[in-house]
Amino acid sequence: MPSPPPPPLPPPPDPSHWDDMQIQDLPFPDPGVPDARSGPRFLWWLFRNQLSGQLKSLAWGLLHFASVASLPFCVGVAVQAAVDRSGGRLALAGGLLALACAGNAIGETFLHRAAITNWITAAARVQQLLARKAATLGSALTRRVAAGEVVAVSTGDVEKIGWFVEALSRFTAAAVTIVLVCVGLVVYEPDLGVVVAVGLPVLAVAVLPLLPRATRRADTQREKAGRATELASDTVAGLRVLRGIGGEELFLDRYRRASQEVRHAAVRSARMWSLIAAVQVLLPGLLLITVVWYGVRLAREGRIGVGELVTVYSSVMVLTYPLRHFEEIAMAYSFSRPSAKRAARVLSLARATDTGGSRAAETPAGDLYDPATGLLAPAGRFTAVVCGDPDAAGRLAERLGGHAADKGTSALLGGVPLDELPLDSARRAVLVQDKDPVLLSGTLRELLDVPASGAVDPRDALEAAQCGDVLAALVQGSLGADDPMDARITERGRSLSGGQRQRLALARSLVTDPEVLVLDEPTSAVDSHTEARIAQGVRALRTRRTTVVFTSSPLLLDRAEQVVFLHDGTVAAAGGHRELLRTEPRYRAVVTRETEDEAALAGVPDTAGAPREDGALHRLDGLEELREIEETA
């Protein structure tokens, strides 16, 4: 009598159903400190941090697999009872069969629940760790790791990591069940039990020689997929620029080639896993043929009964179900290992300074000073900084905010080293807006709902940043939004121009009203008329607050109370904008974009002995004209 077919292997948990689970302890108050020394160590750390969930999954898995494995015994008892015409044993077999089916249903239900919980728990912990690392590193993260790789780790990789962590307990339950069944068969029917006990381990390890090649092909596929994701992310982010320079087709061709490489790698990987799956089907079939052939001989000789033969045959057939978990754990590890390696690489990144700080939490006040360059920004004043190297200016801006990517001399605020402050205190004291700020999707009200002193009204900040046309554009693009604060902003503000995004980001920074505000090229994408009004609005709104602006715009420099010129990494000159134009040729060359010959010509005295008033000095007249236009407007 053939035994019922084994239940199908449950599919991996579907992340789309995560919201249906009631998991009360997510998100974690503290996801912990991961072991990011390698991918396997990180996987083991995740497993240990949810040990109770793994034990629950193991317990329910043992109940499920044991119930499935007991079905052949119940069937064998029933067959033998029918042969012996024993009604009592037949009733006993029926009761045992009902009990096994109930255990199977209960075990599988709660096993699936525990597996889903373990999957979500591991994935959520990894996502929390990645979010915490991104918040800690700030803009330094994308300088060390490509943005596309960060996206790949936080989306697809967390699912694969969760899959392995979840599958490990189910695999353990399946392995324990196989061992127990082999021992039971040896005791129940030694002749056939020995054959099964020898054959099943051979089936389990038969695919081991194929796993290294399958793992290498899976790694290759993941690497190529990661590069394709990075290329797609970078292309989408720069699509507006690519269209402007006619490079759209070039990058699309690159992505097509990368996509085809991923497809070829996926096909090669699938072929190897298909071979492993074929081996997992072929060898159990050979074992079944061997058991049937040998069992029939034993039955003809009268050494075993028909019920015993059915029991052993059905046991081997049913054990192919837990055996498939060996293939699953191999696939899960092969796919999760490179994912865990990438996650560990991101999580192993560290700030140049201690986020905890050696000083007590405080918000210092006073002059902002950078010992490395000699830059001094007096408290309560509007200071503009001119630096010919944009990258050096960006690094200096981060150092002024206590976010230095590399170890070095710390900037001082009121004599207190920012590197010695806890990260939260340093960020409350000094806010740094880099040259490429990010706008999150949502309403304008949500965008401006940031930690702030409360002294600056959002509408005043929007007015100072000259966002009138931006508000009109947002209202026009949002259906049913009468109040501009309820207008929606698309992801990264892609529906807005570069200048409009800059102004909204500037308004958000002004709302926070920090003790020190550091702006890196805040008006590089704004026209000159708007730029002049922004300079006036920012200076008026930041009265008695320290503001440092990295810029080479004459309009902003002319509004600054102090201008500091950096050359070769140190302060070369300081003073008023017009004074530096007259006295510092290198400053004039950076601000006015003059060539060396023009700068030298501008410093040659005329026949009366006075310096020439061409070149940069004529630009002063342009400033006056622009100011008159602004006042007229």
Side-chain angles (χ1 to χ4, degrees):
M1 175 179 177
S3 64
L9 190 67
D14 184 2
S16 64
H17 298 295
W18 285 4
D19 293 337
D20 297 335
M21 301 299 298
Q22 300 296 324
I23 302 180
Q24 301 298 329
D25 55 349
L26 293 179
F28 295 105
D30 180 11
V33 180
D35 186 351
R37 289 176 291 177
S38 65
R41 288 179 182 270
F42 179 59
L43 291 173
W44 176 243
W45 178 85
L46 285 174
F47 179 84
R48 287 189 293 108
N49 273 268
Q50 54 186 75
L51 189 58
S52 60
Q54 297 293 341
L55 292 177
K56 290 180 182 178
S57 180
L58 176 61
W60 292 118
L62 287 174
L63 175 61
H64 169 56
F65 289 120
S67 299
V68 172
S70 65
L71 292 175
F73 173 75
C74 299
V75 172
V77 172
V79 170
Q80 192 63 44
V83 172
D84 298 339
R85 300 181 181 277
S86 173
R89 281 190 294 163
L90 187 61
L92 175 63
L96 292 176
L97 188 62
L99 185 63
C101 290
N104 180 24
I106 295 173
E108 184 174 12
T109 299
F110 285 94
L111 170 62
H112 187 69
R113 182 182 180 87
I116 291 286
T117 302
N118 289 335
W119 185 310
I120 298 174
T121 301
R125 191 185 298 272
V126 175
Q127 287 180 327
Q128 280 189 254
L129 290 170
L130 291 171
R132 185 176 66 180
K133 181 62 65 174
T136 300
L137 292 178
S139 60
L141 175 62
T142 52
R143 288 202 303 271
R144 300 186 187 182
V145 181
E149 183 172 353
V150 177
V151 172
V153 172
S154 60
T155 53
D157 285 341
V158 296
E159 296 182 10
K160 293 177 175 59
I161 292 172
W163 179 23
F164 173 75
V165 174
E166 171 270 325
L168 193 57
S169 57
R170 286 194 291 113
F171 162 74
T172 304
V176 171
T177 301
I178 290 175
V179 172
L180 293 178
V181 171
C182 289
V183 173
L185 287 178
V186 170
V187 175
Y188 176 71
E189 178 51 56
D191 292 331
L192 284 178
V194 171
V195 175
V196 176
V198 173
L200 283 178
V202 173
L203 297 183
V205 302
V207 297
L208 290 182
L210 301 176
L211 287 181
R213 180 175 295 182
T215 302
R216 286 194 300 270
R217 292 189 179 185
D219 291 348
T220 302
Q221 177 193 354
R222 294 296 303 164
E223 290 174 2
K224 291 182 179 297
R227 286 196 294 268
T229 302
E230 294 174 17
L231 180 59
S233 176
D234 294 340
T235 302
V236 171
L239 193 58
R240 186 188 300 268
V241 177
L242 291 176
R243 286 175 175 172
I245 63 177
E248 183 180 3
E249 286 299 325
L250 175 62
F251 276 80
L252 287 177
D253 288 340
R254 290 182 181 178
Y255 180 74
R256 290 190 187 99
R257 290 195 297 270
S259 179
Q260 289 302 312
E261 291 179 2
V262 174
R263 184 178 68 84
H264 290 307
V267 170
R268 286 173 51 83
S269 179
R271 286 174 179 170
M272 185 54 63
W273 288 112
S274 298
L275 178 60
I276 292 176
V279 172
Q280 291 287 76
V281 172
L282 175 63
L283 294 184
L286 295 177
L287 179 61
L288 278 175
I289 293 174
T290 302
V291 168
V292 171
W293 173 77
Y294 187 54
V296 170
R297 288 188 56 187
L298 294 177
R300 285 180 176 178
E301 295 173 2
R303 296 167 58 182
I304 63 173
V306 176
E308 294 172 340
L309 175 59
V310 171
T311 298
V312 176
Y313 166 79
S314 301
S315 297
V316 175
M317 188 171 182
V318 169
L319 283 180
T320 57
Y321 166 55
L323 271 175
R324 291 177 60 187
H325 286 75
F326 285 78
E327 176 190 354
E328 183 195 12
I329 196 65
M331 291 183 64
Y333 180 72
S334 299
F335 281 94
S336 66
R337 189 171 63 86
S339 298
K341 181 180 178 181
R342 276 193 295 272
R345 179 191 172 198
V346 175
L347 295 175
S348 64
L349 300 175
R351 288 176 55 86
T353 57
D354 182 13
T355 58
S358 57
R359 290 177 178 263
E362 57 178 306
T363 304
D367 297 343
L368 182 63
Y369 177 66
D370 179 47
T373 59
L375 171 65
L376 176 65
R381 300 188 65 185
F382 189 112
T383 301
V385 180
V386 177
C387 181
D389 184 358
D391 293 333
R395 291 191 296 269
L396 174 56
E398 292 179 353
R399 192 162 64 247
L400 291 177
H403 312 319
D406 302 315
K407 292 184 177 180
T409 306
S410 172
L412 307 176
L413 179 60
V416 178
L418 291 174
D419 288 358
E420 297 180 5
L421 291 176
L423 183 59
D424 292 343
S425 298
R427 286 179 171 173
R428 282 195 301 268
V430 184
L431 173 64
V432 178
Q433 177 183 304
D434 60 23
K435 63 183 64 179
D436 187 22
V438 176
L439 301 181
L440 301 179
S441 59
T443 64
L444 181 59
R445 193 185 310 277
E446 292 170 340
L447 177 70
L448 301 180
D449 184 16
V450 293
S453 66
V456 177
D457 186 84
R459 298 186 185 275
D460 294 336
L462 290 168
E463 183 179 355
Q466 300 299 308
C467 294
D469 63 315
V470 184
L471 299 181
L474 289 176
V475 170
Q476 185 177 5
S478 300
L479 297 177
D482 297 329
D483 187 351
M485 300 299 290
D486 295 327
R488 296 201 62 83
I489 301 172
T490 58
E491 181 188 4
R492 289 181 173 267
R494 297 191 189 279
S495 61
L496 303 173
S497 67
Q500 290 174 328
R501 290 196 297 269
Q502 273 191 338
R503 283 177 280 164
L504 281 181
L506 176 59
R508 180 178 58 187
S509 299
L510 293 174
V511 167
T512 61
D513 189 38
E515 184 67 29
V516 179
L517 177 60
V518 180
L519 305 172
D520 188 4
E521 296 288 353
T523 58
S524 59
V526 177
D527 63 85
S528 57
H529 290 72
T530 306
E531 188 176 30
R533 291 192 289 268
I534 289 176
Q536 187 64 31
V538 171
R539 178 171 174 176
L541 197 62
R542 294 285 301 171
T543 302
R544 294 186 298 276
R545 289 290 199 182
T546 306
T547 307
V548 180
V549 180
F550 287 81
T551 183
S552 59
S553 167
L555 296 170
L556 286 176
L557 296 172
D558 194 47
R559 296 299 197 284
E561 299 175 74
Q562 173 186 261
V563 179
V564 178
F565 174 58
L566 298 179
H567 184 70
D568 290 338
T570 59
V571 174
H577 170 59
R578 300 184 180 221
E579 175 189 355
L580 293 178
L581 277 178
R582 292 188 174 90
T583 60
E584 181 56 62
R586 293 172 299 182
Y587 173 83
R588 183 167 60 245
V590 173
V591 173
T592 64
R593 278 72 169 178
E594 287 181 340
T595 63
E596 294 183 1
D597 294 338
E598 290 174 337
L601 182 61
V604 176
D606 59 14
T607 55
R612 292 181 180 269
E613 294 189 356
D614 50 7
L617 297 185
H618 279 303
R619 288 173 172 80
L620 293 176
D621 297 332
L623 288 174
E624 296 294 344
E625 293 176 2
L626 185 56
R627 181 173 296 174
E628 292 175 1
I629 294 173
E630 176 190 345
E631 292 173 353
T632 302

